[in-house]
Amino acid sequence: MDQNKIEIINFAEGLEEPIKTLNYEWLEKYFKIEESDIRSLSNPKEEIIDKGGFIFYAKLNDDIVGTCSLLKKNDTTFEIGKMAVSENAQGHRIGTLLLEHCLNFAKNHRIETLILYSNTQLAPAIHLYRKYGFYEIEMEKGLYERANIKMEKRL
């Protein structure tokens, strides 16, 4: 039996740092940190929460090891973004649990459409999104340097 307890918690005062450290870890490994990353990850409350979005964290035992956000685009559309799982916590299905949490949260809050941006070189992530019903749609130019795929799911 797995002794590791995984819990999804909401962003709260004093939890500003993990979203930055978790995202920087994978961005530095696979891509580079963009200006928009620095702005949103350095001020998550102002840039995400205060603009109508939500931030979730995954705790493994007592450590925050994953994060994911719902970024408000309009009243019915949110972007799943800022998803990151610490390398030393991979293999616990934390990315899957965060995605499922976002999907359930969106349904419960009458969000109609979820979109996300990713990169096809992140094959496990793309596979996960497809498994949960996301499909590729046309991507606007110049939003994120590292993104080469935009996906959507209607709820």
Side-chain angles (χ1 to χ4, degrees), residues 61-124:
N61 301 320
D62 287 324
D63 300 320
I64 293 178
V65 295
T67 185
C68 188
S69 299
L70 289 174
L71 311 167
K72 185 174 183 174
K73 296 298 174 187
N74 59 49
D75 287 342
T76 60
T77 303
F78 281 69
E79 174 187 342
I80 294 180
K82 310 301 177 212
M83 184 186 273
V85 176
S86 177
E87 207 164 349
N88 58 14
Q90 306 219 333
H92 292 280
R93 297 186 64 248
I94 291 168
T96 301
L97 293 171
L98 282 165
L99 181 61
E100 287 176 351
H101 184 81
C102 286
L103 290 168
N104 291 329
F105 184 92
K107 285 177 189 157
N108 292 335
H109 288 79
R110 293 184 169 72
I111 294 169
E112 296 172 12
T113 306
L114 290 174
I115 61 169
L116 60 86
Y117 297 88
S118 192
N119 188 295
T120 50
Q121 109 185 40
L122 303 172

